[in-house]
Amino acid sequence: MKQIVVIGAGQMGNGIAHVFAQSGFSTALVDIRQESLDKAMATISKNLDRQVSKGSITEATKTETLQRLSTSTDMAASCATADLVVEAATENIDLKLKIFADLDRMAPAHCILASNTSSISITRIAAATQRPEKVIGMHFMNPVPVMKLVEVIRGYSTSNDVTSTILQLSLNLGKSPVEVNDLPGFVANKILMPMINEAIYTLYEGTAGVEEIDTVMKLGMAHPMGPLRLADFIGLDTCLSILRVLHDGFGNPKYAPCPLLVNMVTAKKLGDKTGEGFYNYADPKNPVVAAFFQKK
Ligand code: CAA
C-alpha cells in the first residue's frame, strides 16, 4: 500500500486523510468542490496544531503529514495510481453506487475499494463493480484522529485476503479494527442509533429535558457526550437515514424514527453542521439548549 485516495472532503474524509498521511502514506484527498478541499486542509492543519500543542506529535511530524497530502478535483487522475481508495462521500445510496461504478473503471485492477459508509450495504455497493471481492467497509468513527475503532465490514463476496489486508492496515494506522458482517447498521449503528432514538423519544414524551437526559447518560453511564449532544455531533440527517436503513432492512417497528427527529430534519435543524439541533451552537465552545426545548 503506497498511494491512498480518499473520496469526499467532508467531516469524515478530512479525518481519514489526516490519519493516513500521519501514518506515512501518500494520500490524495478528492472532492468535486475546490472550496471543500480548501476547508478540509484548513481543518487538518488546525487539528495537527492541536496535536502539536498537546505534545502528542512534533512540529516535524505535522510538516511531514502535510507534505504527504495532496488535493484534487480530478477523480480519474488521482485514482489511476491508487492502491486503496476510501470513499467518504455523502451517505446517499445512488451517489455511492455511481462513485463505485466510476472507481471500478478508473482504479487499477489490484486496487481495493473501501467505503466509510455508516449503514449502506457493502454487498450492494460491491455489486456496482466488477471486483466485488475487492470491495470492503472501512467505517471510521468521528473524530477520526481520536477514535480508535475501525469497523471492518465484509460484504458477501469480500475475499479473505482483502479482509486481512484491511485489518492489518487499520493496525498500521494505530487503530483497533473489529471485523463484522454486512447486515443493516453493522454493529456500531445497530446499537448506537436505537439508543439515540430512545433518547429523542424520552424528550418527545416529556420524561425529561435535553440537559437532564444528557446528564443522566454522561454521569450515570460514563458516556463522553450525552445521546442528544452526540446526535447533534453526528448530524440529525445522518441519524435519521441510518434509522431508516435499520427500519427497512429488518422490517421491525422498534427502529421507527421518532417523529420529533423527522420534524427536526425537515426543519433543517441538523445539529453542529447547521448551528442548531437539540443545542444551539452560536458559540460552538458553549452550546446552550436550543430555544425550542428551553423550559417555558
Ligand atoms: N483531531 C485531533 N485531535 C482531536 C480532535 C480532532 N478532530 N478532536 C479532539 N481531539 C483531541 C484533543 O486534542 C484531546 O487530546 P488529549 O486527550 O491528548 O488532550 C482529546 O481529543 C479530547 O478533546 P477535548 O479535550 O477537546 O474534548 P473532549 O474531552 O470533550 O473530547 C471528544 C472530545 C473526543 C469528541 C469526546 O467528547 C468523545 O469521545 N465524544 C464521543 C465521540 C463519539 O461517540 N464518536 C462516535 C460517533 S458515531 C460515528 O462516528 C459513526 C457513525 O456512523 C455515526
Side-chain angles (χ1 to χ4, degrees):
M1 288 283 173
K2 288 210 172 68
Q3 182 61 40
I4 312 295
V5 173
V6 178
I7 308 286
Q11 198 178 31
M12 296 305 285
N14 82 62
I16 295 168
H18 172 151
V19 166
F20 273 104
Q22 194 183 317
S23 304
F25 296 94
S26 166
T27 307
L29 184 57
V30 174
D31 200 287
I32 46 172
R33 292 176 35 202
Q34 186 59 46
E35 311 90 85
S36 306
L37 291 168
D38 296 342
K39 194 169 159 218
M41 287 307 290
T43 303
I44 294 172
S45 191
K46 194 181 80 196
N47 285 332
L48 286 165
D49 281 338
R50 190 205 308 236
Q51 290 167 273
V52 172
S53 68
K54 298 264 177 163
S56 53
I57 63 167
T58 61
E59 191 65 47
T61 305
K62 178 193 163 183
T63 309
E64 286 157 21
T65 300
L66 290 173
Q67 281 166 351
R68 286 187 207 105
L69 276 166
S70 59
T71 59
S72 172
T73 51
D74 186 341
M75 184 160 110
S78 300
C79 290
T81 53
D83 300 307
L84 168 69
V85 178
V86 183
E87 170 276 321
T90 309
E91 198 68 352
N92 170 310
I93 177 90
D94 295 330
L95 176 67
K96 289 203 195 274
L97 295 181
K98 159 114 183 46
I99 290 175
F100 274 78
D102 290 345
L103 288 174
D104 194 32
R105 279 186 285 101
M106 294 167 179
H110 73 276
C111 181
I112 296 177
L113 305 180
S115 176
N116 177 59
T117 179
S118 48
S119 62
I120 294 171
S121 161
I122 298 300
T123 307
R124 184 145 179 221
I125 291 174
T129 74
Q130 303 299 315
R131 59 177 99 185
E133 72 291 349
K134 291 199 171 66
V135 176
I136 193 161
M138 218 180 164
H139 183 206
F140 291 84
M141 302 291 132
N142 189 22
V144 181
V146 180
M147 305 300 281
K148 284 282 174 203
L149 178 70
V150 179
E151 216 181 6
V152 175
I153 305 122
R154 285 187 78 121
Y156 192 88
S157 308
T158 311
S159 74
N160 289 340
D161 275 0
V162 166
T163 306
S164 351
T165 303
I166 294 301
L167 289 169
Q168 183 56 52
L169 177 69
S170 305
L171 291 171
N172 297 347
L173 296 176
K175 302 294 184 195
S176 302
V178 173
E179 183 183 333
V180 309
N181 288 322
D182 182 26
L183 284 164
F186 318 132
V187 171
N189 282 319
K190 182 165 191 286
I191 298 173
L192 177 64
M193 287 304 155
M195 182 193 73
I196 286 177
N197 200 31
E198 203 55 41
I200 302 172
Y201 264 113
T202 306
L203 177 69
Y204 170 79
E205 288 160 354
T207 311
V210 171
E211 279 174 313
E212 288 75 11
I213 292 167
D214 276 352
T215 302
V216 166
M217 297 304 285
K218 271 197 299 187
L219 301 187
M221 284 73 190
H223 290 190
M225 286 174 164
L228 301 175
R229 175 70 194 90
L230 181 58
D232 277 357
F233 181 63
I234 292 168
L236 300 191
D237 50 344
T238 304
C239 294
L240 179 59
S241 91
I242 298 172
L243 279 163
R244 290 205 158 124
V245 167
L246 289 167
H247 194 212
D248 293 348
F250 291 109
N252 187 328
K254 76 177 175 178
Y255 299 112
C258 178
L260 173 60
L261 174 63
V262 177
N263 267 358
M264 289 176 78
V265 173
T266 308
K268 299 201 167 50
K269 304 291 183 190
L270 306 182
D272 297 35
K273 66 174 123 176
T274 57
E276 189 172 301
F278 295 102
Y279 294 85
N280 181 295
Y281 302 91
D283 174 4
K285 289 205 162 58
N286 288 303
V288 292
V289 172
F292 187 84
F293 298 110
Q294 279 174 19
K295 293 193 181 81
K296 305 288 182 299

